């Protein structure tokens, strides 16, 4: 899912940071991997199983016998890297090299075929790639689990990481450690995974692997000897990576003796075969013809087909504990293959796996159809998109200016933009997306309100529902721990930007003689809109940023109203930190001033806290607005223009006697375009 | 399109004679139309003739004009005549109430061309001796020298593009005359057509100040005749001036300054006895342009020449509704089309009832007198001005703020409101559309509930 988000993203030249994603576009093979969402802790809980199954000698693709891969010859790993450090290229090489072990030519064909597939516009969903690798006379099944690269998807990264026992941590030999490298490293480190540092792009002219090794040693406390220097592009030393996967990463913990138990971690729809569910087998085995039950729906299905993803579907007779693959069982609707569902054999019911906790949305934004007549279309588009992206939360909302819509919760800004982009491109829906807000909390003091809400602490997603100070003992705002890596020449500028954003410095280390790593505790609200863009621009693109959630903190929050000639505008209510009220209010007034057309009378645009006006802009009245000449030959053009204005007028929102075009709200509410 | 063309061409062959029969109209004295009411509406029209050529390009102009490569005046004359006849035949109008030669630079045309076109008009329709026949004049010495011949050819009103009395500004604007030459041309025109000379002036010119404008206007008023057209220079894409402004070589006065210039001009003209009868047009002694007034009153007009626009019912083509018609833009192509099939109509769009009313509204509101009830009723017999606009809260606000007036006379802008017309029109159009569609629904419902 997230993968296709990324792909979409790449296709829009309008979106910033696009360059960082280009690499995904070119490297189709990596698309074919999905994140297996196995949870290693469950596996660990299971008793260790030593294989009694004999290794068969044949490795012909069509008759692959999975029973010859006991758990101890399975490795689950993922590749983590900062954007553009070469994760996809390495994945390509791993696929090629392991494919080459079976048949060299066929392997090549597989890749070519995929390329064509993509060129024809067939959606190639993110897939898991199971690699068969011979090492010291033994055959290993290596499950490569792809992870998204961006900060927003760190949730996905951590899900992927938790499915693995080890990671390849890739660092660009030229750029060195970046913010995401750090963030991803800690995710892996905390999950106690085996970490294999890989220094990529050693073929580049400016490559400085020595320096990167120093950085790795310093930042991650990993001995430099453990680093593998490679060029994924040229294939240099990639074989060493495969060896390291087998040698340094432990096998998963699962047992084929247990009853069959599998987790659905992804699904897609095939017109001819119905739902294709991607599963991770946690225990036992499953084969064609088995009757399986969906724990979520209680429905029974016959297994029609199953197999490995290599990365294309590769049918097999059975799937065994510890393995990852796909299953087709006559499910007609994607909804039947609920992601996170547990499958088991009809005659051997098991306790359902906990499934996936819904991703916690940290960035909220209103989404409205450009035109209310597009509401039903947009609704179905959102439904279809959220089906495969359970991390998006959907709540109906309505705005006086923008009509009926939704308040959607996203994992982060990129996630939001990608979602929006997909809506527009795949579903041809024109969408208004309001500026992102974060979920605030309020600790209520009024017993009556506490009773009403059923709890003392409430979460406020819509600023219009912000409770008054008088009934609240404390407001809380979400915090993040941000990591910034940058050449030290920009340190001063970055520190003042962070200070400006209410950031509190937690840490600052030089990871080599020029690069500095800073850790800041930020209110999420402060980084959610334009922080990243500013950071990038003030560091000429050299600084990188990543963040992780860091709970809630008490904050002095206030509700700010925007008034037009004294009339409050409900959709522009904003929750701000007291210290930022003036600058935010001023900026909003300025943006409104620029986007509300001049009227026949003067308009005061004000930001107010309670009854106190803190900022004001004035839109001067029109003094002359009439076309100089209009004769017979001018009518057609004039009518066209006026009719367009009249159409626009129908969509305007009246506040008092002021006509405000929807664009004005959009300009104020939406993210600032760079 | 082709079918229609052939049809029209066939008709064009029947020799036409001057049609005296059906009307006494076409006089410039008073509006026949207003006296006689709707039946005349389709029987008469005004005629616009476009001369597409200029000697040079003015820096601000993006109008349809061409610098001729060779002298094809004879062919142009022949084709203007031919198209005039074809379209008159098609429109089946019996009376041409006014003729306007515009351009381009129609004063580059030979007076015999003007005479020939007017002859063609008279062959196909009644054209009163008193009917207003205006020619736009570029005030160069050559232009001036031809004025008398134009009068002999049948022109009885001149519209002179003075634009500015500042020679420096004339140069920036790319005009090919001096202010002195312009004044001499005005003088000659006044001698020939006393009381029937209009001057065009332009404000909002590069670097112009409100004060200098006021002085310039006063100077102009000392020498001008009974009619002044006042245009704010608008920057049009693709013009040389546009590029200069974009490149920072030339600065245009700010919006507030041009607004002040406009108001100042309105006051000054008023003080000198010039009544503003339209957004940009001022006249004393009732010397209004009848031709242009008929545009604002929503009457039929026929456009002849490259790129000319028309609005009429092509009766001869079996038509029943008014069409918005546009002639082919490029002179060479237009010439060929006229030679091949009698006319160069490139686009015909049938105007719906609503679209017609919209044009009537937009054009009518440009006049100081606005739209009177009778005038509206001719186009909208079922739905009066009060019914359409009276109930809207939006209109009520405009009435209360004193920008708009809706009373026994009709709907019009106040003095202040006229300067803000384009801010009001979109709202009025929205109301009109809503009312008309509601009316249609009501009618529909009534028909269903009361089957005959």
């Amino acid at each position: 899912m997230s993968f296709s988000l990324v792909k979409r993203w790449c296709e829009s030249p309008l979106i910033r940071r696009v360059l960082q994603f280009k690499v995904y576009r070119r490297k189709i093979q990596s698309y074919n991997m999905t994140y297996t969402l196995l949870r290693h802790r469950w596996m660990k809980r299971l008793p260790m199983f030593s294989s009694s199954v004999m290794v068969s000698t044949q490795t012909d693709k069509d008759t692959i016998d999975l029973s010859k891969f006991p758990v101890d010859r399975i490795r689950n790993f993922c590749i983590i890297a900062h954007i553009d450090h070469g994760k996809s290229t390495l994945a390509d090489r791993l696929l090629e090299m392991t494919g080459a072990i079976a048949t060299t030519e066929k392997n090549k064909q597989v890749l070519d075929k995929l390329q064509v597939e993509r060129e024809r516009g067939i959606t190639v969903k993110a897939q898991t790639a199971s690699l068969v690798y011979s090492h010291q006379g033994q055959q290993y099944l290596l499950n490569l689990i792809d992870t998204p690269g961006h900060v927003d998807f760190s949730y996905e990264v951590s899900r992927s990481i938790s499915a693995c026992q080890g990671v390849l941590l890739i660092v660009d030999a030229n750029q060195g450690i970046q913010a995401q490298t750090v963030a991803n490293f800690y995710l892996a480190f905390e999950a106690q995974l085996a970490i294999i540092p890989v220094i990529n792009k050693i073929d580049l002219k400016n490559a400085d692997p020595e320096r990167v090794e120093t950085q790795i040693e310093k930042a991650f406390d990993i001995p430099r000897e453990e680093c593998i220097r490679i060029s994924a592009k040229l294939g240099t030393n990639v074989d060493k990576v495969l060896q390291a996967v087998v040698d340094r990463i432990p096998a998963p913990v699962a047992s084929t003796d247990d009853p069959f138990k599998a987790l659905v971690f992804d699904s897609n729809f095939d017109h001819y075969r119905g739902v294709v569910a991607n599963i991770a087998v946690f225990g036992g085995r499953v084969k064609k013809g088995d009757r399986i039950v969906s724990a979520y729906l209680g429905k029974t299905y016959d297994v029609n087909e199953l197999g490995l993803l290599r990365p294309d579907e590769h049918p097999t007779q059975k799937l065994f504990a510890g393995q990852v693959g796909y299953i087709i069982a006559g499910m007609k609707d994607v909804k039947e293959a609920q992601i996170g569902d547990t499958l088991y054999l009809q005659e051997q019911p098991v306790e359902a796996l906990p499934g996936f906790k819904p991703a916690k949305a940290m960035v909220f934004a209103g989404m409205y159809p450009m035109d209310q007549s597009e509401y039903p279309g947009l609704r179905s588009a959102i439904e279809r998109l959220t089906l495969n992206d359970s991390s998006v939360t959907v709540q109906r909302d309505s705005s006086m200016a923008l009509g009926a819509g939704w308040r959607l919760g996203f994992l982060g800004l990129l996630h939001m933009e990608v979602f929006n982009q997909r809506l527009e491109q795949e579903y041809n829906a024109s969408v208004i997306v309001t500026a992102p807000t974060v979920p605030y909390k309020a600790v209520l003091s009024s017993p009556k309100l506490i009773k009403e809400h059923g709890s003392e602490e409430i979460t406020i997603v819509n600023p219009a529902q912000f409770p008054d100070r008088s009934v609240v003992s404390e407001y809380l705002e979400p915090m993040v721990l941000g990591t910034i890596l940058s050449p030290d020449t920009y340190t001063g500028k970055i520190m003042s930007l962070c200070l400006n954003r209410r950031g509190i410095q937690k840490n600052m280390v030089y990871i080599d003689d020029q690069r500095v790593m800073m850790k800041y505790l930020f209110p999420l609200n402060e980084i959610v809109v334009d922080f990243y863009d500013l950071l990038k621009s003030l560091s000429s693109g050299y600084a990188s940023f990543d963040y992780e959630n860091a709970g809630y903190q008490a904050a002095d929050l206030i509700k700010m109203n925007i008034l037009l000639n004294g009339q409050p505008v409900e959709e522009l209510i904003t929750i701000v930190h007291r210290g930022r009220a003036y600058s935010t209010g001023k900026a909003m007034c300025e943006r409104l001033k620029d986007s509300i057309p001049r009227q026949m009378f003067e308009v005061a645009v004000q930001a107010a806290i309670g009854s106190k006006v803190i900022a004001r802009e004035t839109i001067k009245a029109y003094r002359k607005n009439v076309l100089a000449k209009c004769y017979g030959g001018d009518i057609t053009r004039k009518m066209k223009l006026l009719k367009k204005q009249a159409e626009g007028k129908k969509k305007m929102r009246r506040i008092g006697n002021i006509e405000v075009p929807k664009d004005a709200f959009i300009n104020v509410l939406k993210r600032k375009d760079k | 399109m082709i079918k229609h063309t052939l049809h029209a061409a066939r008709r064009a062959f029947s020799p036409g004679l001057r049609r005296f029969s059906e009307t006494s109209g076409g006089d410039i004295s008073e509006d026949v139309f207003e006296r006689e009411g709707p039946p005349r509406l389709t029987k008469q029209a005004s005629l616009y003739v476009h001369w597409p050529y200029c000697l040079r390009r003015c820096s601000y102009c993006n109008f349809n004009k061409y610098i001729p490569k060779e002298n094809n005046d004879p062919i142009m004359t022949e084709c203007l005549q031919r198209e005039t006849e074809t379209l008159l035949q098609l429109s089946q109008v019996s009376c041409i109430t006014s003729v306007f030669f515009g351009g381009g630079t129609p004063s580059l045309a030979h007076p015999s061309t003007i005479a020939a076109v007017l002859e063609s008009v008279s062959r196909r329709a009644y054209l009163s001796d008193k009917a207003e026949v205006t020619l736009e004049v570029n005030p160069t010495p050559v232009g001036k020298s031809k004025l008398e011949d134009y009068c002999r050819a049948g022109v009885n009103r001149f519209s002179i593009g003075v634009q500015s009395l500042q020679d420096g500004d004339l140069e920036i604007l790319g005009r090919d005359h001096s202010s002195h030459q312009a004044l001499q041309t005005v003088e000659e025109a006044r001698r020939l057509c006393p009381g029937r000379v209009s001057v065009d002036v332009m404000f909002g010119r590069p670097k112009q100040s409100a004060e200098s404008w006021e002085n310039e206007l006063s100077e102009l008023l000392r020498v001008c005749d009974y009619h002044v057209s006042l245009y704010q220079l608008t920057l049009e894409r693709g013009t040389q001036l546009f590029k200069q402004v974009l490149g920072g070589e030339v600065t245009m006065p700010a919006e507030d300054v041009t607004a002040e210039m406009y108001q100042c001009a309105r006051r000054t003209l008023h003080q000198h006895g010039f009544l503003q009868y339209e957004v940009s047009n001022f006249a004393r002694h009732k010397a209004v342009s009848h031709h242009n007034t008929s545009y604002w009153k929503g009457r039929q007009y026929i456009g002849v020449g490259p790129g000319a626009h028309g609005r009429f019912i092509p009766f001869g083509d079996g038509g029943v509704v008014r069409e918005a018609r546009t002639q082919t833009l490029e002179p060479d192509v237009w010439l060929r089309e006229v030679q091949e099939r009698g006319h160069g109509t490139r686009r015909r769009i049938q105007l719906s009832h609503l679209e017609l009313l919209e044009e009537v509204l937009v054009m009518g509101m440009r006049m100081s007198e606005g739209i009177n009830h009778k005038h509206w009723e001719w186009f909208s017999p079922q739905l009066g001005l009060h019914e359409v606009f009276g109930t809207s809260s939006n209109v009520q606000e405009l009435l209360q703020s004193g920008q708009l007036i809706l009373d026994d006379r009709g709907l019009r802008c106040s003095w202040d409101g006229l300067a803000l017309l384009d801010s009001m029109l979109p709202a009025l159009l929205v109301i009109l559309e809503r009312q008309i569609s509601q009316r249609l629904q009501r009618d529909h419902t009534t028909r269903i509930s009361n089957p005959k």
Side-chain angles (χ1 to χ4, degrees):
Chain A
M1 174 64 198
S2 306
F3 139 71
S4 35
L5 290 177
V6 168
K7 183 183 155 214
R8 261 298 144 203
W9 170 266
C10 302
E11 284 168 7
S12 162
L14 294 172
I15 293 199
R16 292 160 298 108
R17 285 175 257 171
V18 65
L19 285 175
Q20 297 170 332
F21 286 95
K22 272 199 176 143
V23 64
Y24 288 85
R25 234 189 132 176
R26 290 195 302 267
K27 309 303 177 209
I28 181 64
Q29 293 81 4
S30 70
Y31 289 176
N32 274 22
M33 297 166 219
T34 194
Y35 335 118
T36 44
L37 302 164
L38 310 186
R39 298 198 162 184
H40 70 292
R41 57 183 179 277
W42 300 339
M43 290 188 166
K44 275 177 186 163
R45 240 186 280 134
L46 297 166
M48 184 65 182
F49 168 78
S50 36
S51 170
S52 57
V53 187
M54 281 298 100
V55 179
S56 68
T57 44
Q58 269 308 318
T59 59
D60 180 37
K61 268 183 99 177
D62 298 320
T63 57
I64 198 158
D65 180 6
L66 286 177
S67 62
K68 76 188 175 179
F69 295 114
V71 170
D72 63 0
R73 259 181 274 138
I74 294 174
R75 299 288 182 273
N76 294 317
F77 71 104
C78 60
I79 309 175
I80 54 180
H82 191 79
I83 284 164
D84 224 6
H85 280 198
K87 184 176 71 170
S88 307
T89 317
L90 177 59
D92 291 352
R93 287 301 93 73
L94 296 179
L95 277 169
E96 279 172 15
M97 293 186 65
T98 52
I101 291 164
T103 43
T104 324
E105 273 169 46
K106 259 190 182 174
N107 176 43
K108 210 165 188 174
Q109 275 175 344
V110 166
L111 296 172
D112 286 347
K113 198 178 99 201
L114 287 167
Q115 196 82 36
V116 170
E117 256 186 333
R118 203 183 77 83
E119 277 163 10
R120 287 189 184 164
I122 299 165
T123 310
V124 187
K125 244 186 132 179
Q127 301 281 324
T128 290
S130 295
L131 318 174
V132 178
Y133 174 61
S134 282
H135 179 55
Q136 296 177 343
Q138 295 276 30
Q139 291 228 309
Y140 290 85
L141 188 66
L142 311 182
N143 294 316
L144 168 54
I145 293 150
D146 196 19
T147 60
H150 192 266
V151 46
D152 280 358
F153 301 102
S154 58
Y155 171 83
E156 296 276 346
V157 177
S158 54
R159 286 206 299 197
S160 302
I161 282 177
S162 70
C164 304
Q165 288 74 45
V167 298
L168 301 177
L169 179 68
I170 305 197
V171 187
D172 182 310
N174 183 13
Q175 290 187 15
I177 291 179
Q178 299 290 316
Q180 261 170 266
T181 323
V182 179
N184 289 335
F185 166 80
Y186 280 109
L187 287 172
F189 183 76
E190 279 156 22
Q192 301 184 335
L193 304 193
I195 296 167
I196 303 170
V198 176
I199 299 172
N200 190 21
K201 305 195 191 180
I202 54 166
D203 56 308
L204 286 185
K205 211 174 78 188
N206 296 325
D208 189 355
E210 295 278 340
R211 182 167 148 241
V212 177
E213 279 169 5
T214 311
Q215 290 178 353
I216 288 172
E217 221 167 25
K218 207 148 180 181
F220 304 143
D221 204 19
I222 297 176
R224 61 193 312 138
E225 294 72 33
E226 289 185 20
C227 295
I228 307 174
R229 294 184 188 183
I230 68 159
S231 164
K233 195 171 128 199
L234 305 177
T236 319
N237 288 343
V238 175
D239 54 327
K240 286 190 184 159
V241 174
L242 282 169
Q243 284 165 30
V245 167
V246 172
D247 293 339
R248 298 197 215 164
I249 296 174
V253 186
S255 168
T256 42
D257 291 344
D258 287 344
F260 168 66
K261 189 180 199 179
L263 180 78
V264 178
F265 65 87
D266 199 1
S267 68
N268 50 70
F269 189 78
D270 183 298
H271 272 290
Y272 301 102
R273 299 178 299 170
V275 174
V276 181
N278 293 357
I279 59 163
V281 184
F282 278 71
R285 63 188 75 187
V286 65
K287 64 178 188 302
K288 211 167 156 177
D290 278 350
R291 285 187 72 75
I292 56 165
V293 181
S294 146
Y296 178 72
L297 292 172
K299 272 184 149 178
T300 307
Y301 303 93
D302 289 324
V303 177
N304 302 328
E305 187 186 325
L306 48 73
L308 287 181
L309 297 159
R310 316 192 50 201
D312 51 335
E313 284 162 16
H314 183 100
T316 58
Q317 292 304 308
K318 293 176 184 173
L319 280 175
F320 294 88
Q323 291 168 357
V324 168
Y326 72 96
I327 193 161
I328 298 169
M331 293 176 176
K332 297 278 183 291
D333 190 334
V334 190
K335 279 182 183 158
E336 291 178 80
Q338 195 78 24
I339 293 170
D341 196 4
T342 305
L343 303 178
Y344 57 85
L345 293 177
Q346 195 180 16
E347 62 273 18
Q348 285 180 296
V350 296
E351 199 187 318
L353 296 160
F356 296 120
K357 276 186 209 150
K360 204 157 133 215
M362 287 315 284
V363 174
F364 289 83
M367 272 202 189
Y368 300 87
M370 204 56 112
D371 188 297
Q372 280 298 307
S373 65
E374 293 163 7
Y375 182 90
L378 184 57
R379 183 181 56 207
S380 79
I382 288 178
E383 273 169 10
R384 275 145 82 189
L385 270 180
T386 50
L387 201 64
N388 270 324
D389 190 354
S390 58
S391 56
V392 180
T393 64
V394 183
Q395 211 182 318
R396 285 175 65 174
D397 200 0
S398 79
S399 147
M400 302 257 276
L402 309 175
W406 300 265
R407 184 159 284 272
L408 303 188
F410 300 96
L411 303 172
L413 275 175
L414 176 72
H415 188 204
M416 177 179 97
E417 285 181 24
V418 162
F419 188 89
N420 183 20
Q421 203 73 26
R422 286 195 75 187
L423 272 181
E424 293 198 350
Q425 292 179 343
E426 291 175 31
Y427 297 94
N428 198 22
S430 25
V431 194
I432 299 166
V433 185
T434 66
T437 58
V438 302
Y440 292 107
K441 285 181 178 176
V443 182
L444 301 170
S445 58
S446 136
K448 190 172 153 256
L449 273 180
I450 295 171
K451 207 176 161 194
E452 225 169 79
H453 289 279
S455 66
E456 198 183 344
E457 197 178 274
I458 58 163
T459 302
I460 310 129
V461 164
N462 189 338
Q465 285 149 12
F466 192 69
D468 193 76
R469 172 99 255 174
S470 62
V471 295
V472 165
S473 61
E474 197 178 31
Y475 294 114
L476 302 169
E477 67 177 334
M479 305 297 289
V480 293
L481 186 64
T483 303
I484 299 166
L485 269 104
S486 169
D488 59 0
T489 40
Y490 304 107
T491 311
K493 281 189 197 166
I494 291 171
M495 282 169 74
S496 73
L497 171 69
C498 294
L499 198 67
N500 198 336
R501 297 307 177 96
R502 297 193 282 134
I504 294 161
Q505 198 179 73
K506 289 287 173 192
N507 189 353
M508 179 166 155
V509 262
Y510 273 84
I511 56 165
D512 62 26
D513 51 1
Q514 283 155 30
R515 286 192 74 84
V516 71
M517 175 165 86
M518 289 173 269
K519 296 237 176 207
Y520 274 88
L521 188 66
F522 288 108
L524 175 60
N525 178 44
E526 297 287 339
I527 57 151
V528 96
V529 179
D530 56 358
F531 179 83
Y532 186 77
D533 301 317
L534 285 172
L535 182 73
K536 277 282 172 199
S537 79
L538 67 77
S539 66
S540 311
Y542 283 113
S544 60
F545 175 70
D546 202 346
Y547 66 85
E548 57 190 285
N549 295 330
Y552 275 78
Q553 264 189 12
D556 190 3
L557 302 174
I558 43 175
K559 183 163 99 174
M560 184 171 71
N561 273 307
I562 298 293
L563 314 173
L564 293 180
N565 279 357
Q567 294 265 349
V569 187
E570 195 199 314
E571 43 274 83
L572 297 181
I573 295 171
T574 310
I575 299 169
V576 282
H577 189 265
R578 191 177 296 276
R580 306 271 289 148
Y582 172 75
S583 57
T584 310
K586 179 91 184 148
M588 286 180 79
C589 288
E590 280 168 6
R591 280 217 236 170
L592 263 181
K593 184 195 172 179
D594 291 343
S595 45
I596 295 179
R598 289 171 77 169
Q599 318 257 324
M600 293 168 74
F601 41 82
E602 189 176 286
V603 179
V605 184
Q606 297 166 309
I609 292 164
S611 58
K612 192 179 158 220
V613 172
I614 57 164
R616 171 182 171 132
E617 293 288 327
T618 306
I619 302 166
K620 283 208 249 164
Y622 251 133
R623 292 192 52 210
K624 176 178 187 282
N625 182 28
V626 64
L627 190 71
K629 75 179 186 81
C630 194
Y631 301 115
D634 307 306
I635 302 177
T636 304
R637 194 158 79 134
K638 178 66 175 167
M639 287 309 302
K640 215 174 202 172
L641 184 72
L642 284 170
K643 292 290 285 174
K644 205 173 139 197
Q645 288 171 350
E647 280 310 306
K649 205 169 187 74
K650 286 186 197 160
K651 293 175 189 153
M652 286 197 197
R653 161 124 152 78
R654 274 175 86 87
I655 290 156
N657 57 348
I658 303 159
E659 289 187 320
V660 185
K662 210 144 87 177
D663 285 357
F665 289 100
I666 298 166
N667 287 345
V668 176
L669 293 174
K670 79 170 182 191
R671 283 196 69 211
K672 210 179 199 161
D673 287 325
K674 270 279 141 64
Chain B
M1 174 71 200
I2 289 170
K3 204 167 67 190
H4 140 76
T5 308
L6 291 172
H7 192 63
R10 215 180 306 130
R11 284 175 181 276
F13 285 110
S14 61
L17 290 165
R18 255 193 139 158
R19 299 183 179 202
F20 292 97
S21 53
E22 297 166 62
T23 179
S24 61
D27 290 39
I28 49 171
S29 51
E30 227 323 65
D31 280 307
V32 190
F33 182 63
E34 300 219 336
R35 283 202 310 273
E36 299 189 9
R40 294 276 75 80
L41 187 68
T42 56
K43 286 293 171 193
Q44 50 180 242
S46 55
L47 177 72
Y48 174 80
V49 183
H50 191 81
W51 182 265
Y53 300 120
C54 286
L55 279 183
R56 58 196 280 192
R57 229 172 275 274
C58 296
S59 68
Y60 57 89
C61 179
N62 73 340
F63 212 60
N64 179 35
K65 41 107 220 312
Y66 297 83
I67 315 298
K69 288 185 283 271
E70 60 200 315
N71 179 16
N72 48 5
D73 285 12
I75 306 167
M76 185 47 85
T77 307
E78 186 194 309
C79 287
L80 287 175
Q81 280 187 284
R82 177 103 187 265
E83 189 172 56
T84 302
E85 290 182 31
T86 308
L87 296 182
L88 278 172
Q89 175 72 30
L90 191 66
S91 70
Q92 302 264 297
V93 303
S94 51
C95 173
I96 287 298
T97 51
S98 63
V99 182
F100 194 102
F101 291 92
T105 311
S107 57
L108 291 177
H110 197 273
S112 64
T113 299
I114 306 299
V117 172
L118 291 175
E119 239 164 69
S120 295
V121 175
S122 293
R123 253 202 301 277
R124 292 279 167 185
Y126 173 68
L127 177 66
S128 161
D129 294 345
K130 292 174 190 161
E132 182 184 281
V133 178
T134 310
L135 178 87
E136 279 183 349
V137 177
N138 214 24
T140 59
V142 180
K144 183 190 147 214
S145 68
K146 285 156 87 179
L147 293 185
E148 197 158 354
D149 289 338
Y150 286 131
C151 280
R152 279 197 207 104
V155 172
N156 57 22
R157 186 173 179 271
F158 290 110
S159 170
I160 300 174
V162 173
Q163 312 308 359
S164 168
L165 293 180
Q166 314 286 329
D167 284 340
D169 285 10
L170 288 171
E171 207 164 300
I172 293 177
L173 297 175
R175 302 290 298 180
D176 56 356
H177 57 85
S178 67
S179 65
H180 179 68
Q181 288 164 348
L183 294 177
Q184 282 183 323
T185 309
V186 172
E187 203 184 311
E188 170 71 355
R190 289 186 69 181
R191 185 182 69 78
L192 292 163
C193 300
R196 311 192 53 148
V197 176
S198 174
V199 295
D200 286 359
V201 262
M202 209 177 253
F203 68 96
R205 304 190 307 255
K207 288 185 280 184
Q208 194 182 25
S209 72
E211 203 192 351
S212 69
W213 164 239
E214 207 170 345
N215 295 333
E216 189 179 351
L217 190 62
S218 303
E219 200 185 326
L220 187 78
L221 288 177
R222 278 199 292 278
V223 295
C224 74
D225 198 49
Y226 291 179
H227 194 278
V228 175
S229 295
L230 202 66
Y231 303 121
Q232 182 179 332
L233 173 56
T234 39
L235 259 194
E236 301 284 356
R237 261 167 202 289
T239 60
Q240 200 195 329
L241 191 65
F242 186 83
K243 273 181 227 141
Q244 288 171 328
V245 171
L246 221 62
E249 296 163 53
V250 169
T251 50
M252 300 290 284
E255 225 174 280
D256 281 352
V257 178
T258 54
E260 178 52 35
M261 287 176 180
Y262 182 61
Q263 298 297 9
C264 158
R266 294 175 80 192
R267 279 194 305 270
T268 309
L269 283 157
H270 190 77
Q271 282 158 15
H272 286 77
F274 282 88
L275 296 185
Q276 180 173 23
Y277 68 102
E278 194 261 354
V279 171
S280 305
N281 287 280
F282 302 79
R284 60 181 168 192
H285 310 307
K286 295 190 178 168
V288 299
S289 160
H290 290 279
H291 182 84
N292 289 338
T293 301
S294 56
Y295 293 137
W296 301 316
K297 292 206 164 170
R299 306 214 184 124
Q300 292 205 116
Y301 57 96
I302 296 166
V304 165
H309 287 242
R311 292 283 188 285
F312 62 87
I313 303 175
F315 266 118
D317 202 23
V320 286
V321 296
R322 189 185 279 198
E323 288 184 352
R325 302 169 68 100
T326 317
Q327 309 311 106
T328 294
L329 207 61
E330 307 84 357
D332 292 347
V333 184
W334 176 85
L335 285 170
R336 200 168 60 233
E337 286 173 3
V338 175
Q339 282 169 333
E340 278 168 12
R341 52 182 203 208
H343 69 89
T345 302
R346 179 53 67 98
R347 220 162 56 120
R348 297 170 54 193
I349 292 166
Q350 298 201 333
L351 295 177
S352 67
H353 180 57
L354 174 64
E355 284 167 327
L356 179 60
L357 288 183
E358 284 171 340
E359 292 197 354
V360 168
L361 175 72
V362 166
M363 297 304 272
M365 290 304 285
R366 289 183 65 89
M367 295 183 291
S368 303
E369 63 170 62
I371 302 162
N372 67 37
H373 291 295
K374 189 117 201 225
H375 171 188
W376 182 258
E377 201 192 307
W378 291 326
F379 296 99
S380 174
Q382 259 123 51
L383 218 53
L385 284 172
H386 278 296
E387 288 168 274
V388 176
F389 299 106
T391 52
S392 150
S393 61
N394 223 317
V395 169
Q396 288 302 326
E397 279 170 28
L398 294 169
L399 295 176
Q400 267 155 33
S401 67
Q403 315 275 9
L404 203 63
I405 300 162
L406 176 60
D407 61 10
D408 294 349
R409 277 164 57 195
L411 182 70
R412 63 189 176 281
C413 295
S414 67
W415 171 270
D416 288 335
L418 195 60
L420 296 169
L421 176 61
D422 287 359
S423 290
M424 296 192 277
L425 283 175
L428 298 179
L429 286 171
V430 170
I431 297 161
L432 177 64
E433 189 192 338
R434 199 183 299 138
Q435 291 292 334
I436 294 292
S437 69
Q438 275 174 11
R439 176 74 191 209
L440 278 176
Q441 266 167 15
R442 259 203 317 277
D443 287 356
H444 187 63
T445 320
T446 323
R447 263 205 307 284
I448 288 168
S449 55
N450 306 313
K452 294 234 167 90

